[in-house]
Amino acid sequence: MKQDKKALQALLFERRALIEPQEHGFARPSGQGRRAAGLTQQQVDDLTGTARNTYYRLESGRARNPPIEYLDQVARLFGLNEQEWGALCRYAGIGDPPYPLHPDTGLQVPGVWQEAVDGISHPAYVNDASWNLLAHNQAFADLFPDGQVPTNTMRWMLLEPRGRDMLLQWKTGWAPLVLPQLRAALSLRPEDETLLQIVKEAAADPDLAPLWDGGGAHIHPDGDERPIHHALHGPGHVTMCAAQPLTARGARLIILIYHPGQKKQHTRLPMLRSRRSD
């Protein structure tokens, strides 16, 4: 991925200017002449324990393929949020960051998401990066007997008997496609206790263990159409539309388009493309 030197310099210069040197034990600059706000580039080197001009080379765009460990140091020193962390990695030529900067990333979304899902006519919900249910609408609750929604959608799909009953053709149409999503979530959050417990139980389950050992590359459900038993409308299919809240890496908005019957309806729909006139 190519560096964006101008954007990289602007981001780092702006965030460095917000850090007061006194907060890190440096004396306030004295003497005549105009002083730039924030930490100096040399002070950044001192605080990160790196050689002179290391930070200068990063901010100027002269550092090719900077180590992710160093970008992490700078990001934490500057107090970057998750969006800024992603921008730093991309502007530096690394691409998307290999892991979230903050441990609670993906575990919360802005409260307005509840209003957003309430405004969707199809069943819709938001889960966090651990697959805990954060928000859902009434149409989603209607899928379940007595409206009892699961607390963790990954656990429900894989381990709960009621999930296996609702998800028709569970052994062939759901489990082999859901387990790779669990593996992908764990690669993003390898110390997540909720995910680790689900993995432990899945690895001990006689139906899931062979599938878990086999791996799999199906890491998201976007566009998939799968059989399900709707509590109110009976057997049918749901086509899944998946998106990610930008403030919560790993969290997902899932919209389920349900239709009754044994046949799939959305597998042959064409891809949507912009109509440009050349």
Side-chain angles (χ1 to χ4, degrees), residues 48-127:
T48 55
T50 52
R52 288 291 176 264
N53 294 322
T54 299
Y55 178 76
Y56 160 75
R57 295 182 68 251
L58 176 65
E59 187 174 298
S60 65
R62 297 187 180 188
R64 297 296 182 88
N65 300 316
I68 191 65
E69 295 80 8
Y70 179 61
L71 294 180
D72 184 295
Q73 281 186 292
V74 172
R76 295 183 189 277
L77 175 61
F78 289 1
L80 299 191
N81 60 34
E82 212 62 44
Q83 291 90 334
E84 291 167 334
W85 167 236
L88 172 62
C89 291
R90 288 186 285 271
Y91 294 161
I94 300 297
D96 289 335
Y99 54 83
L101 188 64
H102 305 291
D104 61 346
T105 294
L107 300 183
Q108 56 186 10
V109 297
V112 72
W113 275 99
Q114 180 61 64
E115 186 174 344
V117 296
D118 284 339
I120 299 173
S121 60
H122 298 291
Y125 67 95
V126 176
N127 63 252

Side-chain angles (χ1 to χ4, degrees), residues 156-167:
W156 173 75
M157 288 187 291
L158 291 178
L159 298 168
E160 293 185 14
R162 61 180 184 144
R164 298 187 182 190
D165 290 340
M166 274 186 64
L167 305 177

